[in-house]
mmCIF file of all heavy atoms in Angstrom:
data_model
loop_
_atom_site.group_PDB
_atom_site.id
_atom_site.type_symbol
_atom_site.label_atom_id
_atom_site.label_comp_id
_atom_site.label_asym_id
_atom_site.label_seq_id
_atom_site.Cartn_x
_atom_site.Cartn_y
_atom_site.Cartn_z
ATOM 1 N N MET A 1 0.851 -1.150 -0.010
ATOM 2 C CA MET A 1 0.026 0.017 -0.023
ATOM 3 C C MET A 1 0.886 1.245 0.000
ATOM 4 O O MET A 1 1.637 1.464 0.937
ATOM 5 C CB MET A 1 -0.909 0.016 1.194
ATOM 6 C CG MET A 1 -1.765 -1.269 1.318
ATOM 7 S SD MET A 1 -2.967 -1.154 2.711
ATOM 8 C CE MET A 1 -1.833 -0.983 4.096
ATOM 9 N N ASN A 2 0.824 2.045 -1.071
ATOM 10 C CA ASN A 2 1.573 3.235 -1.230
ATOM 11 C C ASN A 2 0.637 4.412 -1.266
ATOM 12 O O ASN A 2 -0.565 4.305 -1.513
ATOM 13 C CB ASN A 2 2.426 3.215 -2.473
ATOM 14 C CG ASN A 2 3.412 2.100 -2.452
ATOM 15 O OD1 ASN A 2 3.962 1.729 -1.439
ATOM 16 N ND2 ASN A 2 3.714 1.534 -3.657
ATOM 17 N N SER A 3 1.180 5.617 -1.095
ATOM 18 C CA SER A 3 0.379 6.876 -1.139
ATOM 19 C C SER A 3 -0.833 6.772 -0.303
ATOM 20 O O SER A 3 -1.932 7.162 -0.732
ATOM 21 C CB SER A 3 0.046 7.192 -2.596
ATOM 22 O OG SER A 3 1.261 7.324 -3.390
ATOM 23 N N LEU A 4 -0.665 6.330 0.891
ATOM 24 C CA LEU A 4 -1.817 6.088 1.796
ATOM 25 C C LEU A 4 -2.527 7.383 2.164
ATOM 26 O O LEU A 4 -1.908 8.494 2.292
ATOM 27 C CB LEU A 4 -1.382 5.353 3.048
ATOM 28 C CG LEU A 4 -1.126 3.856 2.839
ATOM 29 C CD1 LEU A 4 -0.314 3.302 3.976
ATOM 30 C CD2 LEU A 4 -2.467 3.123 2.730
ATOM 31 N N LYS A 5 -3.846 7.268 2.268
ATOM 32 C CA LYS A 5 -4.718 8.386 2.634
ATOM 33 C C LYS A 5 -5.437 8.076 3.919
ATOM 34 O O LYS A 5 -5.644 6.925 4.226
ATOM 35 C CB LYS A 5 -5.720 8.615 1.523
ATOM 36 C CG LYS A 5 -5.142 8.830 0.108
ATOM 37 C CD LYS A 5 -6.201 8.868 -0.936
ATOM 38 C CE LYS A 5 -5.654 9.027 -2.319
ATOM 39 N NZ LYS A 5 -6.732 9.066 -3.345
ATOM 40 N N PRO A 6 -5.934 9.079 4.618
ATOM 41 C CA PRO A 6 -6.698 8.804 5.830
ATOM 42 C C PRO A 6 -7.950 7.930 5.513
ATOM 43 O O PRO A 6 -8.324 7.134 6.388
ATOM 44 C CB PRO A 6 -7.139 10.198 6.315
ATOM 45 C CG PRO A 6 -6.037 11.104 5.805
ATOM 46 C CD PRO A 6 -5.596 10.514 4.490
ATOM 47 N N GLU A 7 -8.508 8.021 4.338
ATOM 48 C CA GLU A 7 -9.632 7.230 3.934
ATOM 49 C C GLU A 7 -9.310 5.735 3.860
ATOM 50 O O GLU A 7 -10.217 4.861 3.804
ATOM 51 C CB GLU A 7 -10.214 7.652 2.590
ATOM 52 C CG GLU A 7 -10.525 9.120 2.543
ATOM 53 C CD GLU A 7 -9.378 9.939 1.944
ATOM 54 O OE1 GLU A 7 -8.523 10.367 2.761
ATOM 55 O OE2 GLU A 7 -9.356 10.171 0.714
ATOM 56 N N ASP A 8 -8.017 5.360 3.853
ATOM 57 C CA ASP A 8 -7.611 3.966 3.849
ATOM 58 C C ASP A 8 -7.606 3.355 5.235
ATOM 59 O O ASP A 8 -7.422 2.133 5.360
ATOM 60 C CB ASP A 8 -6.193 3.812 3.287
ATOM 61 C CG ASP A 8 -6.153 4.239 1.782
ATOM 62 O OD1 ASP A 8 -7.082 3.880 1.022
ATOM 63 O OD2 ASP A 8 -5.169 4.915 1.439
ATOM 64 N N THR A 9 -7.826 4.155 6.248
ATOM 65 C CA THR A 9 -7.857 3.651 7.646
ATOM 66 C C THR A 9 -8.972 2.651 7.783
ATOM 67 O O THR A 9 -10.136 2.886 7.481
ATOM 68 C CB THR A 9 -8.065 4.798 8.657
ATOM 69 O OG1 THR A 9 -6.869 5.633 8.559
ATOM 70 C CG2 THR A 9 -8.198 4.273 10.049
ATOM 71 N N ALA A 10 -8.620 1.437 8.254
ATOM 72 C CA ALA A 10 -9.591 0.327 8.404
ATOM 73 C C ALA A 10 -8.880 -0.848 8.977
ATOM 74 O O ALA A 10 -7.631 -0.902 9.135
ATOM 75 C CB ALA A 10 -10.183 -0.042 7.051
ATOM 76 N N VAL A 11 -9.636 -1.821 9.381
ATOM 77 C CA VAL A 11 -9.100 -3.153 9.612
ATOM 78 C C VAL A 11 -9.055 -3.909 8.303
ATOM 79 O O VAL A 11 -10.070 -3.976 7.569
ATOM 80 C CB VAL A 11 -9.955 -3.967 10.635
ATOM 81 C CG1 VAL A 11 -9.370 -5.371 10.802
ATOM 82 C CG2 VAL A 11 -9.935 -3.216 11.969
ATOM 83 N N TYR A 12 -7.908 -4.440 7.953
ATOM 84 C CA TYR A 12 -7.724 -5.117 6.671
ATOM 85 C C TYR A 12 -7.724 -6.631 6.927
ATOM 86 O O TYR A 12 -7.017 -7.149 7.790
ATOM 87 C CB TYR A 12 -6.412 -4.716 5.999
ATOM 88 C CG TYR A 12 -6.511 -3.346 5.339
ATOM 89 C CD1 TYR A 12 -6.630 -2.218 6.109
ATOM 90 C CD2 TYR A 12 -6.535 -3.227 3.975
ATOM 91 C CE1 TYR A 12 -6.757 -0.956 5.501
ATOM 92 C CE2 TYR A 12 -6.657 -2.041 3.325
ATOM 93 C CZ TYR A 12 -6.777 -0.889 4.100
ATOM 94 O OH TYR A 12 -6.889 0.353 3.497
ATOM 95 N N PHE A 13 -8.507 -7.337 6.166
ATOM 96 C CA PHE A 13 -8.687 -8.748 6.259
ATOM 97 C C PHE A 13 -8.214 -9.417 4.934
ATOM 98 O O PHE A 13 -8.494 -8.896 3.833
ATOM 99 C CB PHE A 13 -10.139 -9.166 6.434
ATOM 100 C CG PHE A 13 -10.792 -8.599 7.686
ATOM 101 C CD1 PHE A 13 -11.358 -7.371 7.722
ATOM 102 C CD2 PHE A 13 -10.757 -9.385 8.851
ATOM 103 C CE1 PHE A 13 -11.945 -6.893 8.876
ATOM 104 C CE2 PHE A 13 -11.380 -8.924 9.981
ATOM 105 C CZ PHE A 13 -11.955 -7.639 9.991
ATOM 106 N N CYS A 14 -7.560 -10.529 5.065
ATOM 107 C CA CYS A 14 -7.365 -11.395 3.854
ATOM 108 C C CYS A 14 -8.350 -12.546 3.925
ATOM 109 O O CYS A 14 -8.787 -12.997 5.020
ATOM 110 C CB CYS A 14 -5.942 -11.844 3.689
ATOM 111 S SG CYS A 14 -5.314 -13.038 4.914
ATOM 112 N N ALA A 15 -8.674 -13.070 2.738
ATOM 113 C CA ALA A 15 -9.648 -14.173 2.651
ATOM 114 C C ALA A 15 -9.220 -15.067 1.489
ATOM 115 O O ALA A 15 -8.522 -14.618 0.576
ATOM 116 C CB ALA A 15 -11.041 -13.658 2.420
ATOM 117 N N ALA A 16 -9.574 -16.335 1.568
ATOM 118 C CA ALA A 16 -9.161 -17.267 0.533
ATOM 119 C C ALA A 16 -10.286 -18.197 0.184
ATOM 120 O O ALA A 16 -11.203 -18.525 1.000
ATOM 121 C CB ALA A 16 -7.980 -18.109 1.025
ATOM 122 N N ASP A 17 -10.336 -18.651 -1.057
ATOM 123 C CA ASP A 17 -11.317 -19.603 -1.555
ATOM 124 C C ASP A 17 -10.776 -20.202 -2.834
ATOM 125 O O ASP A 17 -9.897 -19.669 -3.469
ATOM 126 C CB ASP A 17 -12.599 -18.898 -1.824
ATOM 127 C CG ASP A 17 -13.795 -19.897 -1.735
ATOM 128 O OD1 ASP A 17 -14.290 -20.069 -0.605
ATOM 129 O OD2 ASP A 17 -14.189 -20.448 -2.765
ATOM 130 N N MET A 18 -11.301 -21.387 -3.149
ATOM 131 C CA MET A 18 -10.861 -22.059 -4.355
ATOM 132 C C MET A 18 -12.031 -22.444 -5.275
ATOM 133 O O MET A 18 -11.839 -23.241 -6.217
ATOM 134 C CB MET A 18 -10.023 -23.365 -4.050
ATOM 135 C CG MET A 18 -10.703 -24.334 -3.183
ATOM 136 S SD MET A 18 -9.766 -25.906 -3.135
ATOM 137 C CE MET A 18 -8.104 -25.363 -3.244
ATOM 138 N N LYS A 19 -13.207 -21.891 -5.087
ATOM 139 C CA LYS A 19 -14.300 -22.067 -6.031
ATOM 140 C C LYS A 19 -13.860 -21.486 -7.384
ATOM 141 O O LYS A 19 -13.284 -20.428 -7.443
ATOM 142 C CB LYS A 19 -15.541 -21.387 -5.556
ATOM 143 C CG LYS A 19 -16.122 -21.991 -4.279
ATOM 144 C CD LYS A 19 -17.488 -21.413 -3.931
ATOM 145 C CE LYS A 19 -17.370 -19.940 -3.500
ATOM 146 N NZ LYS A 19 -16.659 -19.862 -2.222
ATOM 147 N N PRO A 20 -14.129 -22.215 -8.482
ATOM 148 C CA PRO A 20 -13.557 -21.813 -9.735
ATOM 149 C C PRO A 20 -14.095 -20.580 -10.409
ATOM 150 O O PRO A 20 -13.361 -19.910 -11.159
ATOM 151 C CB PRO A 20 -13.793 -23.042 -10.626
ATOM 152 C CG PRO A 20 -15.045 -23.671 -10.020
ATOM 153 C CD PRO A 20 -14.921 -23.467 -8.539
ATOM 154 N N ARG A 21 -15.317 -20.196 -10.127
ATOM 155 C CA ARG A 21 -15.901 -19.083 -10.815
ATOM 156 C C ARG A 21 -16.571 -18.035 -9.893
ATOM 157 O O ARG A 21 -16.459 -16.860 -10.116
ATOM 158 C CB ARG A 21 -16.988 -19.588 -11.832
ATOM 159 C CG ARG A 21 -16.368 -20.258 -13.053
ATOM 160 C CD ARG A 21 -17.379 -21.053 -13.810
ATOM 161 N NE ARG A 21 -17.783 -22.243 -13.083
ATOM 162 C CZ ARG A 21 -18.658 -23.148 -13.563
ATOM 163 N NH1 ARG A 21 -19.202 -22.982 -14.724
ATOM 164 N NH2 ARG A 21 -18.911 -24.225 -12.828
ATOM 165 N N ILE A 22 -17.281 -18.500 -8.872
ATOM 166 C CA ILE A 22 -17.960 -17.633 -7.946
ATOM 167 C C ILE A 22 -16.951 -16.977 -7.017
ATOM 168 O O ILE A 22 -16.184 -17.656 -6.346
ATOM 169 C CB ILE A 22 -19.034 -18.345 -7.179
ATOM 170 C CG1 ILE A 22 -20.103 -18.933 -8.104
ATOM 171 C CG2 ILE A 22 -19.683 -17.401 -6.134
ATOM 172 C CD1 ILE A 22 -21.158 -19.771 -7.428
ATOM 173 N N LEU A 23 -16.915 -15.633 -6.992
ATOM 174 C CA LEU A 23 -15.953 -14.904 -6.195
ATOM 175 C C LEU A 23 -16.410 -14.683 -4.775
ATOM 176 O O LEU A 23 -16.465 -13.558 -4.320
ATOM 177 C CB LEU A 23 -15.585 -13.587 -6.900
ATOM 178 C CG LEU A 23 -15.003 -13.749 -8.285
ATOM 179 C CD1 LEU A 23 -14.679 -12.372 -8.883
ATOM 180 C CD2 LEU A 23 -13.733 -14.563 -8.257
ATOM 181 N N ALA A 24 -16.736 -15.735 -4.068
ATOM 182 C CA ALA A 24 -17.046 -15.710 -2.660
ATOM 183 C C ALA A 24 -15.860 -16.290 -1.918
ATOM 184 O O ALA A 24 -14.979 -16.982 -2.487
ATOM 185 C CB ALA A 24 -18.308 -16.484 -2.346
ATOM 186 N N TYR A 25 -15.802 -16.055 -0.620
ATOM 187 C CA TYR A 25 -14.640 -16.460 0.190
ATOM 188 C C TYR A 25 -15.127 -17.177 1.440
ATOM 189 O O TYR A 25 -15.988 -16.665 2.196
ATOM 190 C CB TYR A 25 -13.843 -15.229 0.582
ATOM 191 C CG TYR A 25 -13.208 -14.546 -0.598
ATOM 192 C CD1 TYR A 25 -13.877 -13.592 -1.285
ATOM 193 C CD2 TYR A 25 -11.885 -14.907 -0.989
ATOM 194 C CE1 TYR A 25 -13.302 -12.967 -2.402
ATOM 195 C CE2 TYR A 25 -11.311 -14.303 -2.091
ATOM 196 C CZ TYR A 25 -12.024 -13.327 -2.791
ATOM 197 O OH TYR A 25 -11.448 -12.701 -3.859
ATOM 198 N N ASP A 26 -14.629 -18.358 1.721
ATOM 199 C CA ASP A 26 -15.008 -19.151 2.846
ATOM 200 C C ASP A 26 -14.060 -19.055 4.013
ATOM 201 O O ASP A 26 -14.473 -19.353 5.134
ATOM 202 C CB ASP A 26 -15.109 -20.619 2.450
ATOM 203 C CG ASP A 26 -16.289 -20.918 1.560
ATOM 204 O OD1 ASP A 26 -17.274 -20.190 1.640
ATOM 205 O OD2 ASP A 26 -16.234 -21.927 0.798
ATOM 206 N N TYR A 27 -12.836 -18.642 3.790
ATOM 207 C CA TYR A 27 -11.798 -18.615 4.794
ATOM 208 C C TYR A 27 -11.299 -17.187 5.031
ATOM 209 O O TYR A 27 -10.899 -16.531 4.021
ATOM 210 C CB TYR A 27 -10.678 -19.577 4.430
ATOM 211 C CG TYR A 27 -11.197 -20.963 4.138
ATOM 212 C CD1 TYR A 27 -11.293 -21.388 2.818
ATOM 213 C CD2 TYR A 27 -11.506 -21.835 5.142
ATOM 214 C CE1 TYR A 27 -11.748 -22.616 2.516
ATOM 215 C CE2 TYR A 27 -12.002 -23.103 4.862
ATOM 216 C CZ TYR A 27 -12.089 -23.490 3.553
ATOM 217 O OH TYR A 27 -12.602 -24.740 3.256
ATOM 218 N N TRP A 28 -11.240 -16.792 6.254
ATOM 219 C CA TRP A 28 -10.915 -15.405 6.614
ATOM 220 C C TRP A 28 -9.954 -15.344 7.735
ATOM 221 O O TRP A 28 -9.966 -16.163 8.665
ATOM 222 C CB TRP A 28 -12.175 -14.630 7.010
ATOM 223 C CG TRP A 28 -13.169 -14.410 5.909
ATOM 224 C CD1 TRP A 28 -14.047 -15.307 5.477
ATOM 225 C CD2 TRP A 28 -13.325 -13.213 5.172
ATOM 226 N NE1 TRP A 28 -14.777 -14.754 4.381
ATOM 227 C CE2 TRP A 28 -14.361 -13.478 4.205
ATOM 228 C CE3 TRP A 28 -12.721 -11.954 5.197
ATOM 229 C CZ2 TRP A 28 -14.790 -12.496 3.296
ATOM 230 C CZ3 TRP A 28 -13.157 -11.008 4.279
ATOM 231 C CH2 TRP A 28 -14.183 -11.275 3.392
ATOM 232 N N GLY A 29 -9.054 -14.383 7.680
ATOM 233 C CA GLY A 29 -8.218 -14.045 8.827
ATOM 234 C C GLY A 29 -8.981 -13.147 9.783
ATOM 235 O O GLY A 29 -10.112 -12.757 9.521
ATOM 236 N N ARG A 30 -8.298 -12.764 10.864
ATOM 237 C CA ARG A 30 -8.951 -11.952 11.857
ATOM 238 C C ARG A 30 -8.650 -10.466 11.682
ATOM 239 O O ARG A 30 -9.299 -9.666 12.404
ATOM 240 C CB ARG A 30 -8.515 -12.398 13.259
ATOM 241 C CG ARG A 30 -9.044 -13.781 13.639
ATOM 242 C CD ARG A 30 -8.811 -14.086 15.103
ATOM 243 N NE ARG A 30 -9.433 -15.353 15.466
ATOM 244 C CZ ARG A 30 -9.497 -15.820 16.672
ATOM 245 N NH1 ARG A 30 -8.937 -15.106 17.668
ATOM 246 N NH2 ARG A 30 -10.099 -16.982 16.903
ATOM 247 N N GLY A 31 -7.795 -10.092 10.810
ATOM 248 C CA GLY A 31 -7.616 -8.709 10.462
ATOM 249 C C GLY A 31 -6.390 -8.078 11.106
ATOM 250 O O GLY A 31 -5.876 -8.523 12.123
ATOM 251 N N THR A 32 -5.917 -6.986 10.494
ATOM 252 C CA THR A 32 -4.854 -6.168 11.025
ATOM 253 C C THR A 32 -5.202 -4.735 10.812
ATOM 254 O O THR A 32 -5.732 -4.321 9.739
ATOM 255 C CB THR A 32 -3.504 -6.532 10.357
ATOM 256 O OG1 THR A 32 -2.447 -5.797 10.975
ATOM 257 C CG2 THR A 32 -3.480 -6.257 8.857
ATOM 258 N N GLN A 33 -4.945 -3.906 11.797
ATOM 259 C CA GLN A 33 -5.359 -2.509 11.767
ATOM 260 C C GLN A 33 -4.378 -1.655 11.010
ATOM 261 O O GLN A 33 -3.154 -1.725 11.208
ATOM 262 C CB GLN A 33 -5.451 -1.942 13.250
ATOM 263 C CG GLN A 33 -5.819 -0.485 13.287
ATOM 264 C CD GLN A 33 -7.257 -0.192 12.883
ATOM 265 O OE1 GLN A 33 -8.183 -0.864 13.283
ATOM 266 N NE2 GLN A 33 -7.383 0.838 12.031
ATOM 267 N N VAL A 34 -4.903 -0.830 10.107
ATOM 268 C CA VAL A 34 -4.123 0.173 9.371
ATOM 269 C C VAL A 34 -4.734 1.528 9.736
ATOM 270 O O VAL A 34 -5.947 1.757 9.550
ATOM 271 C CB VAL A 34 -4.174 -0.022 7.871
ATOM 272 C CG1 VAL A 34 -3.586 1.118 7.151
ATOM 273 C CG2 VAL A 34 -3.441 -1.359 7.523
ATOM 274 N N THR A 35 -3.909 2.430 10.234
ATOM 275 C CA THR A 35 -4.349 3.783 10.583
ATOM 276 C C THR A 35 -3.452 4.749 9.828
ATOM 277 O O THR A 35 -2.215 4.700 9.981
ATOM 278 C CB THR A 35 -4.288 3.998 12.048
ATOM 279 O OG1 THR A 35 -5.093 3.054 12.738
ATOM 280 C CG2 THR A 35 -4.775 5.393 12.409
ATOM 281 N N VAL A 36 -4.071 5.676 9.096
ATOM 282 C CA VAL A 36 -3.350 6.692 8.309
ATOM 283 C C VAL A 36 -3.713 8.032 8.922
ATOM 284 O O VAL A 36 -4.869 8.448 8.906
ATOM 285 C CB VAL A 36 -3.684 6.637 6.841
ATOM 286 C CG1 VAL A 36 -2.840 7.664 6.081
ATOM 287 C CG2 VAL A 36 -3.513 5.215 6.291
ATOM 288 N N SER A 37 -2.754 8.737 9.490
ATOM 289 C CA SER A 37 -2.979 10.011 10.132
ATOM 290 C C SER A 37 -3.023 11.111 9.100
ATOM 291 O O SER A 37 -2.260 11.087 8.147
ATOM 292 C CB SER A 37 -1.958 10.266 11.248
ATOM 293 O OG SER A 37 -0.660 10.335 10.696
ATOM 294 N N SER A 38 -3.843 12.100 9.369
ATOM 295 C CA SER A 38 -3.923 13.248 8.439
ATOM 296 C C SER A 38 -2.982 14.362 8.830
ATOM 297 O O SER A 38 -2.400 14.367 9.948
ATOM 298 C CB SER A 38 -5.381 13.740 8.417
ATOM 299 O OG SER A 38 -5.763 14.167 9.718
#
């Protein structure tokens, strides 16, 4: 993540799935906090 903005502040989650076509996700992490100060 480059050129970060305050609007990027959030908890960021990654997710994974192996369904071939439908872009849904069954497996999730618990997240990591990103805070961008203004």
Side-chain angles (χ1 to χ4, degrees):
M1 306 186 296
N2 299 326
S3 301
L4 283 163
K5 306 173 182 179
E7 307 93 272
D8 297 317
T9 294
V11 176
Y12 282 71
F13 299 87
C14 68
D17 205 88
M18 58 170 33
K19 295 187 291 293
R21 287 165 289 181
I22 299 174
L23 298 180
Y25 296 86
D26 288 335
Y27 307 101
W28 293 80
R30 292 190 174 187
T32 185
Q33 177 70 46
V34 171
T35 302
V36 184
S37 62
S38 60

